[in-house]
Amino acid sequence: MWATWPAPVRTPTLWAVLATGVLSMLLLDGGLAVNLLLVAIPASLAAYFAGRDAGRRPRAWSLVWGIGGIGLLAVPALRDADWPSFLAVVAAIGLGSLALNGGRSWTAVLLGPIGVGNSVVTGVAWGWRGLRERFGGARRGVGVGLRAFLVSALLLLVFGALFAGADAAFADLLGDLVPDTSVAGGPWRVLLLGSGMVAALTVAHTAAAPVRLDRVVVRPGRPLNRVEWALPLIVLTVLFAAFNAVQLVVLFGGYDAVLKNTGQTYAEYARQGFWQLLFVTLLTLLVVVFALRWAPRDGAGDRKLVRGVLGTLCALALVVVASAVRRMDMYVEAYGLTRLRISVLAGELWLGLVIVLIMAAGVWGARWLPRAVAASAAAGVLAFGLLSPDSLIAQQNVQRYEDTGKFDILYARDLSADAVPALDKLKEPMRSCVLRSIAYGLNHDDAPWYATSWGEARARDVLRDNPPAASVNESLCQSLTEVPEYR
């Protein structure tokens, strides 16, 4: 499973590693936006050069994972909200590990980041060894690199200062484009430089010497006899069928009768049901996993039994997913949309997709299933970030306000700049009360261009053209928050 020591690192890889470190030092101090994407490009080149020198050719799935990981890093560049950006970065790390290590089994898909982590120390040693071989000795190599770096920095500093002094417009351009390199942040920037180079060496070493996680053999469980295996699942299937029959009756016009018999309100019925059905979906997936592990497999009859029982259970689980989604829709109608609600709704929809993939694997084979599940998760995270959840929340709640007159001012104030275009449609004084706090945060955010997202830039344009009304003061906004309909 563990790869041997890779071939010596070559010059293109070292240059890509250096570029990653320098860009990390210059761009990663001040937030994450397009700068993360810019830093990832030379790191990806380092991995490509190292893999090519080791004789690895990029396969179709490796390109899919690599391109998908780079695409996920576009989410922080587009969205101001931190939570979809965090999910995108985590998913990008997972796809990057798959691109570097490869693999098609569940072990390779789930444990891929471990293979990258193994290269953190060995990658640095590998890079240092290659640097010594490139320049004929440690001292000489370090001296050559330092001299080249210092001369380049000196030339840029001298001529840049002269050009800036000669033309005010060029000086303003430099002030906007060149990152702050003040001495006060020196230690932090040195840390960023080292971290960027270590990260690039890690991915390059992984590309040159991947961990073959596909070689880890997970033995199947002891097969059970048909009755011992099938009876509990058939009982569970009957329970699912009974529950789904009730749900279909309620769905086609039985809400009033259910609410009358239970004594619950419309909102209470929706809130109570969704979370239980979400856990039912998760537990169903676990039941399917363990059932497959101990399924009987003596012949064609056993295979038909497994497909029939688990296929029926998965089909009924899809009805549970639809019921959960409907409950959340009712919940949102009653209370409005929030980050938690849109997140768990997206998660429930993805779990439904996983169930569909499992059903397809039962028909066409499961060899492709691990990679399909990983790809669907990454695609879901990417779509979630590109759709801008904060903007969707604002749009839905503004529409709900127009329909019902109910609006949560305090919650809307905590949304990110992505929500500004939707919140701008509110009428005064509601609009100014909601946008005041967001505008205050944007006015006091002096992040450079490379740490500013497109969502934040668009919000600035909206607020510049139509700023919050000065006549709407904080006392008026505070009085609005005390109205029950606005809380």
Side-chain angles (χ1 to χ4, degrees):
M1 182 181 72
W2 301 103
T4 58
W5 190 266
V9 61
R10 298 186 181 275
T11 303
T13 303
L14 290 175
W15 278 114
V17 169
L18 178 62
T20 304
V22 172
L23 288 178
S24 299
M25 177 184 65
L26 297 178
L27 301 181
L28 293 185
D29 184 24
L32 298 181
V34 71
N35 50 1
L36 190 60
L37 187 61
L38 295 175
V39 171
I41 292 175
S44 302
L45 290 175
Y48 169 75
F49 292 141
R52 182 193 62 183
D53 295 338
R56 295 185 67 192
R57 294 183 179 180
R59 298 181 179 180
W61 273 104
S62 296
L63 293 176
V64 169
W65 301 135
I67 294 173
I70 295 296
L72 283 165
L73 293 182
V75 173
L78 297 175
R79 301 297 171 226
D80 180 60
D82 294 333
W83 55 299
S85 297
F86 173 78
L87 292 176
V89 172
V90 172
I93 294 173
L95 290 192
S97 68
L98 288 175
L100 295 171
N101 288 312
R104 63 183 61 185
S105 66
W106 283 111
T107 305
V109 170
L110 297 176
L111 302 182
I114 295 178
V116 179
N118 177 65
S119 296
V120 174
V121 177
T122 55
V124 174
W126 172 68
W128 179 251
R129 180 183 176 185
L131 188 65
R132 293 181 62 180
E133 293 177 355
R134 289 290 99 190
F135 294 102
R139 293 184 177 179
R140 181 184 173 189
V142 173
V144 170
L146 287 176
R147 286 196 297 271
F149 182 78
L150 291 175
V151 171
S152 301
L154 180 62
L155 291 175
L156 288 175
L157 179 63
V158 172
F159 283 93
L162 290 174
F163 284 133
D167 189 278
F170 186 76
D172 292 337
L173 179 63
L174 285 182
D176 293 335
L177 297 180
V178 178
D180 180 22
T181 56
S182 59
V183 178
W188 170 242
R189 293 189 179 275
V190 170
L191 179 61
L192 290 175
L193 172 66
S195 300
M197 295 179 66
V198 169
L201 285 171
T202 298
V203 298
H205 182 271
T206 307
V211 179
R212 304 299 184 181
L213 292 170
D214 276 335
R215 298 178 181 176
V216 177
V217 178
V218 180
R219 298 185 182 277
R222 178 181 63 86
L224 304 176
N225 63 59
R226 293 188 178 185
V227 175
E228 186 180 7
W229 181 87
L231 182 59
L233 293 176
I234 292 175
V235 171
L236 181 62
T237 301
V238 172
L239 178 63
F240 268 66
F243 176 82
N244 289 338
V246 174
Q247 297 306 297
L248 292 176
V249 172
V250 174
L251 182 64
F252 291 103
Y255 280 116
D256 294 337
V258 171
L259 298 181
K260 181 179 179 180
N261 293 332
T262 61
Q264 293 178 316
T265 65
Y266 182 84
E268 290 173 345
Y269 179 77
R271 179 174 55 187
Q272 181 189 28
F274 174 79
W275 298 103
Q276 287 87 341
L277 296 182
L278 175 63
F279 286 118
V280 166
T281 307
L282 290 171
L283 291 176
T284 302
L285 289 175
L286 290 177
V287 168
V288 171
V289 169
F290 286 109
L292 288 173
R293 179 171 176 79
W294 289 300
R297 41 184 177 270
D298 290 336
D302 286 338
R303 288 194 293 271
K304 290 182 180 179
L305 175 65
V306 171
R307 290 179 179 177
V309 173
L310 293 185
T312 303
L313 181 61
C314 287
L316 294 174
L318 289 179
V319 181
V320 173
V321 171
S323 178
V325 171
R326 175 54 184 156
R327 297 288 185 102
M328 178 53 70
D329 183 58
M330 296 166 57
Y331 196 11
V332 170
E333 288 179 4
Y335 294 106
L337 192 60
T338 64
R339 289 171 172 173
L340 177 61
R341 291 163 196 168
I342 195 174
S343 298
V344 296
L345 177 60
E348 179 72 12
L349 291 174
W350 177 73
L351 291 176
L353 176 59
V354 172
I355 293 175
V356 172
L357 293 176
I358 291 175
M359 296 175 66
V363 178
W364 293 295
R367 185 177 180 85
W368 50 270
L369 183 59
R371 291 187 294 193
V373 171
S376 68
V381 172
L382 179 60
F384 189 72
L386 295 181
L387 289 175
S388 185
D390 273 15
S391 178
L392 292 177
I393 292 170
Q395 292 175 17
Q396 197 279 337
N397 289 340
V398 168
Q399 183 62 47
R400 177 171 174 267
Y401 171 67
E402 294 175 352
D403 295 338
T404 66
K406 298 180 179 180
F407 190 81
D408 192 336
I409 297 178
L410 296 178
Y411 190 85
R413 282 183 165 186
D414 291 333
L415 296 176
S416 67
D418 298 329
V420 168
L423 297 176
D424 185 58
K425 299 177 182 179
L426 290 169
K427 297 181 180 180
E428 297 292 355
M430 186 78 70
R431 175 189 175 276
S432 294
C433 288
V434 172
L435 294 181
R436 182 181 300 276
S437 59
I438 300 178
Y440 179 84
L442 292 176
N443 292 335
H444 289 78
D445 184 7
D446 56 351
W449 65 271
Y450 50 80
T452 301
S453 65
W454 178 75
E456 184 177 348
R458 185 176 62 166
R460 291 180 187 274
D461 292 339
V462 171
L463 294 175
R464 182 181 60 248
D465 296 338
N466 190 14
S471 58
V472 179
N473 53 36
E474 187 60 29
S475 60
L476 175 59
C477 297
Q478 185 63 32
S479 65
L480 289 177
T481 61
E482 297 175 358
V483 178
E485 289 79 5
Y486 299 153
R487 300 182 66 179

